[in-house]
Amino acid sequence: MSYTESHAAAVLERCDELAAFSEEEGRLTRRFGTPALRQAGEAVRSWMESAGLSVGRDAIGNVIGRFGDRSRRTLLIGSHLDTVRDAGRYDGMLGVLVAIACMERLRAEARSLPYAVEVIAFADEEGVRFGTGYLGSSVVAGRFDPSALELRDSAGVTLADAVRAFGGDPDRLTDARRDPGDLIGYYEVHIEQGPVLEAGDAPLGVVGAISGQSRARVTFTGQAGHAGTVPMALRRDALSAAAHFVRAVEEVAHGQEGAVATVGELEVEPGASNVIPGRVALSLDVRHTADLVRRSLTERLHERAGAIAGTRGVALGWEVVQEVEAVRCSQELTELVSAAVAAAGHPVLRLASGAGHDAAMLSIIAPVAMLFVRCAGGISHNPAESVTVEDVAAAIEASSRFLKLLR
Ligand code: HGY
Ligand code: MN
Ligand code: MN
């Protein structure tokens, strides 16, 4: 096994170790502010320290390891430690651990880099607990929305209390922003979460753009009633209205080139087999690389929801949860990443990202670049997520070369 492959094997072992830190028995779920996330952060802290980084946490609990004196401008490298429910073990974690592996590999050479490096393990990118993604990177980017502190999770805990319980400080989230003048860029390694690299027989991909996202919470409120006595024609069934809308989401997205739209969460009240559903709340996630297209698609879906609610005599609630613009990666950094991939002996395959990433948030304060790693079948947000040691070695090799090319 080569020197780089030994680093790659260690990265995969660490992904396995992190996968043990879960809120749920038998599957990986690690949301913001939970004891499982704290444990994962402490394991990452120890690996950062053994790589020679000086480590701390910021006001929301991101774990940050620095190499290089404070007078130098800084390259940020990182990804997230939180997961979706029943997650795979590489989405987010791989990027943090490849960054640490590069610092371990460069150790002596790192002193000759003309910039400082900070490896960041973000505390929340998926937004599973409070519904809004990028909580960790939005603090670093200076985009944290203080009104989010009143958001409550499914147990009624506010984000402010969750931050405090996690050891953070909700009163300092807006001033934890990094000064763009200190930064030379942000670099993120991430599994592709799609089938393009596998189809192109390429271990690595260089990301040119990241899709924008519209997230909304949609509610249909009808009238609960007795399943046995209310005639079909007299019902105001909230779940039938929601089901009609879910079909419309699929139909409208299918009709728009390059668009994706998903209803991932659906809550039915009161939720009994012999009661006509009175209220349904669902999540809507709409994406496209062109913001104009994404916004008009979301608007059309809002109109369709209104029409469906109207014909069925139910009330519609539509709450915008988050809007994130599409992002173009830095041409200059992306050229350097491409050169590093080629120098490492791999084909340079360029692609866009349908998935959102912390790089989208960091692009507000720094030029960004991303490197994708092939994942089996393009499967992600699923425990079947997997990568090979050879492809992780390729990512470490290319990333180490990128760090040395950057000036
Ligand atoms: O939803 C996304 O695209 C990312 O996994 N948070
Ligand atoms: Mn994800
Ligand atoms: Mn991710």
Side-chain angles (χ1 to χ4, degrees), residues 79-80 82 91-92 125-126 188 190-191 193 355-358 381:
S79 196
H80 58 95
D82 68 307
D91 172 3
E125 185 270 348
E126 304 286 5
E188 182 167 1
H190 202 287
I191 51 171
Q193 299 178 298
H357 298 289
D358 290 306
H381 283 190

Side-chain angles (χ1 to χ4, degrees), residues 206-249:
V206 181
V207 179
I210 302 170
S211 286
Q213 296 183 26
S214 294
R215 292 192 187 192
R217 186 166 171 78
V218 184
T219 52
F220 292 94
T221 307
Q223 186 171 50
H226 195 301
T229 58
V230 181
M232 294 308 286
L234 299 180
R235 293 183 176 203
R236 293 192 294 123
D237 182 332
L239 184 53
S240 298
H244 191 160
F245 177 64
V246 172
R247 269 288 300 126
V249 169

Side-chain angles (χ1 to χ4, degrees), residues 119-370:
V119 178
I120 303 187
F122 291 110
D124 176 274
E125 185 270 348
E126 304 286 5
V128 173
R129 185 170 175 188
F130 291 97
T132 55
Y134 304 126
L135 286 179
S137 46
S138 67
V139 166
V140 173
R143 281 295 172 90
F144 179 79
D145 173 2
S147 68
L149 288 170
E150 284 121 59
L151 288 173
R152 290 182 184 277
D153 68 6
S154 51
V157 177
T158 64
L159 174 57
D161 287 343
V163 170
R164 269 186 215 98
F166 197 51
D169 181 350
D171 301 327
R172 287 191 28 247
L173 294 179
T174 42
D175 62 18
R177 172 182 187 266
R178 295 302 300 274
D179 179 348
D182 291 346
L183 305 177
I184 55 174
Y186 172 75
Y187 174 65
E188 182 167 1
V189 176
H190 202 287
I191 51 171
E192 178 203 344
Q193 299 178 298
V196 173
L197 294 181
E198 198 168 61
D201 193 21
L204 304 175
V206 181
V207 179
I210 302 170
S211 286
Q213 296 183 26
S214 294
R215 292 192 187 192
R217 186 166 171 78
V218 184
T219 52
F220 292 94
T221 307
Q223 186 171 50
H226 195 301
T229 58
V230 181
M232 294 308 286
L234 299 180
R235 293 183 176 203
R236 293 192 294 123
D237 182 332
L239 184 53
S240 298
H244 191 160
F245 177 64
V246 172
R247 269 288 300 126
V249 169
E250 187 183 48
E251 180 201 309
V252 170
H254 258 296
Q256 171 63 55
E257 171 67 29
V260 285
T262 313
V263 174
E265 295 172 354
L266 189 132
E267 295 146 25
V268 182
E269 292 172 11
S273 65
N274 59 352
V275 179
I276 302 165
R279 183 179 181 278
V280 168
L282 55 84
S283 65
L284 176 67
D285 178 316
V286 181
R287 313 229 182 152
H288 199 281
T289 48
D291 290 333
L292 269 182
V293 173
R294 170 176 53 84
R295 283 197 212 99
S296 78
L297 207 60
T298 308
E299 197 36 54
R300 275 169 55 200
L301 286 171
H302 194 166
E303 286 158 12
R304 284 290 290 270
I308 291 166
T311 50
R312 291 170 172 272
V314 306
L316 172 69
W318 186 282
E319 180 203 348
V320 175
V321 173
Q322 191 167 38
E323 293 274 353
V324 180
E325 307 293 285
V327 163
R328 297 215 62 76
C329 295
S330 149
Q331 181 70 28
E332 187 187 346
L333 290 185
T334 302
E335 291 308 327
L336 284 182
V337 175
S338 303
V341 169
H346 302 292
V348 179
L349 198 151
R350 299 284 295 257
L351 71 171
S353 174
H357 298 289
D358 290 306
M361 194 52 74
L362 269 290
S363 69
I364 292 162
I365 55 168
V368 300
M370 284 196 77

